[in-house]
Amino acid sequence: MAVCARLCGVGQSRRCRRRQRNNQQDQGSDSDMDEEEEERIVGQRLGDAGGCGGPDRGVATAGPSDAGEYVNRGGFLDRRSTGPPHPESLVELPPELLVEIFSLLPGTVLPNVALVCKKFRQILNTETIWRRRCMEEFGMKEDLRKMEAGGVSSQDLYVKLLHPYRHILGLWQPDIGPYGGLLNVVVDGLFIIGWMYLPPHDPRVEDPMRRRPLFRIHMWESNKATVECMYGHKGPHKGDIQTGKKDEFSTKCNQTDHHRMPGGRQEEFRTWLEEEWGRTLEEIFHEHMQELILMKFIYTSQYDNCLTYRRIYLPPAMPSDLLQPGLFKGTYGSHGLEIVMLSFHGNSARATKLTGDPNVPAGQLTLDVDLSRPVVLPELEQQRNIEELSRLVLGVHEEVQREVEQQANGTPATVRQAAEGACGGASGAEEMEADHVACVDNCQSGPSGSSSNPPEALPFILPLGVMARNEVYPRTCRKCFYGTGLIAGHGFTSPERTPGLFVLFDEDRFGFIWLELKSFSLYSRLTDHLAHAHAPNMERFEAMLRNMQSWTS
C-alpha cells in the first residue's frame, strides 16, 4: 500500500510517519536513545551477521544485485535504496509503461486523460494505443494496416469515425409504414456499413438471409468521415446521417437522381421485383398476390432511402427457455416471407414481427403461445383429420376463455372447479386435465425442458385441407402447445387473436397452424452473427417491445 501511495503521489512521507510514531511513543520506554542511534546499532548487528563489515559501518548489504542499505524505522526494517528513486506519481513513470497503461483504458476516457498534463497528451499520440482500441472495441485487425498505408492513422480512425458513429452500431427497424424491416449497422472492413437484411425468396424459408447495403461511412478519400448513400444502381453517392433522439437516427440521400433508371418506373419495378421475389410479375399467377406486390413497391419506393430507424435488441436468453430465443424467418401466405423475433416471458412464448404487411404490420405480436397448456397430438392417421385437431385446440381455447371471464367476474377458477364437481357436471375440464397429464408424461412438458434427456421425437403431419407455402416441413416434432395468432383485415382493421397450434420441431425450427385460416406457417432460425445487438436487461427489452407495438398500432 505504501508503494502504491508513493506512486500516485499521495499518503504520508517517511518524515511524517516518523514524527507520528515519536508522538505516540510510550513515556515508560526502557531506552532514551534517539532513533538515529538505534538505527546505527541495528545496522551494526546486521553487518556482523552478514559478515560484510565491522561495527563501524552500520550497514548490511544483501548481495551484489541489491544496491541498498537497511535501516530501522520505529522497530521495522526498511530498505533505503542507493539506486534510482521510486516514482512518486504516474507522471514519473517511463513513457513505455504509460503507453501500456493507457492502452488498457476505454477510448471514451482517453480525452480526459489528455487533459491531465502535457506529457500525457503527447503520449496519447502514440499509434499503439489507438490501434489497440480499434481492435478491442470494434474488432478491426488487418484493415488497420491498410488504413495506415493509405495515410489514415488509427487515432484519426477512432476519433473521427468509430467513436462519433458508435451509437448507430447494432440492430434497427426502419419506419416504412406496415412493412418495417431489419437493419444491421456494423464495422465492416474499412467502413461502417448499414446492411438491410431481406428474407430469402418465397417460399424457401431455410435459405440464408439476403443483404443489401443502404449506406456506408468511411475515411478512405479524406481525413474526415464521409457518408455515402448506397441505394439505387449507380454506385455510392452523397448522403447524410442525423442522430437526434436517443436510440434513433435518420438517413438522407442528397442525390436521389442516382436512384432513377433509364427505363423509368417500369424498369425500376421489374428490377425490384427480381430482387424482392426472384421472379417476374408474369410468373406470379395469383391476382391478389400481384396487387400486394405492386402496393409494396409503390409504398416503399417513395422513401428514396430517406428513413428513420429505431433501435431494437435481441431477446435475452434464460436457462428455462423452451429453445434459444432470437430471429426467425416465417412463411405468411401471399405476403411472402417475414422476419419475427421469438422471446420468452415466463410461461409465454411471443413472436413479434420485425417485417410486416398491410394486414398485420411490423411491430405487432403475431404469435402468443401458452407454454403451460401443452397439447397431445393424436395418432398419425388421426392427425390428418382437421376436425380432430380443431377439437383438441378449441377445447383448450374454451377453457382459457372461461378462466378469463371468471377472473373478470371475480370468480376464482378453483371455486368453479369445486362447483362443477359438486354438481356432477362435467367435463371438458376433466378431459383437458387428462390431456395435460398425458402430455407431461409423454413430452416431458414444461418451458424449461429440464429433463436430462431431450424429448422423444413424435410423428407429425399436417391435416388435410391445411395450406402450406412450403410443403417440405419436418415430419417429427418435440412438443406442441396451445397459442393464438393475430389476424386482421387490410389496413390492420378488426384485429383478432384466433386459436392455433404451436409446434416445436427442433432448436432452429417451429411452426404454427392457424385453425381459422386453415394455414400453416413454418419458421426457421436466422443464423447470421449480429454484433452490438443484445439488450442490457429484460426490462429494457420489454420496454422496446411495447414501443414497437405503439409505432404501428
Side-chain angles (χ1 to χ4, degrees), residues 75-253:
F76 295 94
L77 292 180
D78 196 6
R79 175 178 175 273
R80 181 160 51 196
S81 174
T82 57
H86 290 295
E88 296 184 356
S89 68
L90 285 174
V91 180
E92 298 181 12
L93 290 176
E96 60 272 16
L97 185 55
L98 288 174
V99 168
E100 184 64 25
I101 293 174
F102 294 163
S103 296
L104 300 175
L105 298 177
T108 52
V109 305
L110 292 181
N112 293 331
V113 176
L115 297 176
V116 174
C117 62
K118 182 179 180 180
K119 180 178 180 179
F120 284 7
R121 186 165 60 252
Q122 292 174 341
I123 290 177
L124 283 174
N125 289 325
T126 307
E127 277 292 279
T128 304
I129 299 174
W130 299 101
R131 188 181 299 115
R132 187 166 179 175
R133 290 298 91 220
C134 291
M135 293 171 61
E136 294 187 0
E137 295 181 22
F138 299 98
M140 300 191 72
K141 295 180 181 178
E142 297 298 326
D143 298 313
L144 289 174
R145 298 181 181 178
K146 298 178 183 178
M147 290 293 296
E148 293 170 357
V152 179
S153 67
S154 296
Q155 181 176 0
D156 285 341
L157 182 67
Y158 188 98
V159 173
K160 298 178 181 180
L161 176 65
L162 300 178
H163 180 74
Y165 289 98
R166 72 190 186 282
H167 297 300
I168 70 171
L169 298 178
L171 290 183
W172 304 83
Q173 187 177 45
D175 184 7
I176 314 180
Y179 298 103
L182 178 64
L183 180 81
N184 187 26
V185 183
V186 297
V187 177
D188 194 333
L190 304 175
F191 305 91
I192 292 178
I193 300 184
W195 292 101
M196 180 68 83
Y197 275 67
L198 305 172
H201 293 139
D202 180 63
R204 300 194 293 269
V205 68
E206 297 197 35
D207 284 2
M209 295 288 289
R210 297 174 295 127
R211 297 192 309 170
R212 176 192 301 161
L214 292 190
F215 64 84
R216 70 181 186 183
I217 316 170
H218 63 89
M219 293 182 59
W220 195 248
E221 298 174 355
S222 64
N223 201 29
K224 64 178 182 179
T226 301
V227 179
E228 293 179 329
C229 175
M230 303 290 289
Y231 191 76
H233 304 274
K234 294 184 179 180
H237 47 282
K238 292 181 180 180
D240 188 27
I241 289 180
Q242 298 176 350
T243 55
K245 299 179 182 178
K246 183 181 179 182
D247 293 334
E248 186 176 303
F249 77 95
S250 301
T251 58
K252 180 183 178 182
C253 177

Side-chain angles (χ1 to χ4, degrees), residues 374-397 432 435 459-467 477 479-483 499-503 511-516 518-520:
V375 175
V376 180
L377 293 177
E379 296 295 330
L380 193 60
E381 286 302 319
Q382 291 180 310
Q383 289 182 30
R384 298 180 182 273
N385 189 345
I386 183 65
E387 294 179 358
E388 178 65 19
L389 180 64
S390 297
R391 184 190 69 81
L392 290 173
V393 176
L394 292 178
V396 182
H397 183 67
M432 292 310 306
D435 286 346
F460 173 81
I461 192 169
L462 285 176
L464 296 175
V466 173
M467 232 178 1
C477 68
K479 301 179 182 181
C480 297
F481 298 92
Y482 160 81
L501 182 69
F502 175 89
V503 184
F512 191 80
I513 300 177
W514 310 73
L515 288 181
E516 184 170 330
K518 292 186 178 180
S519 176
F520 172 72

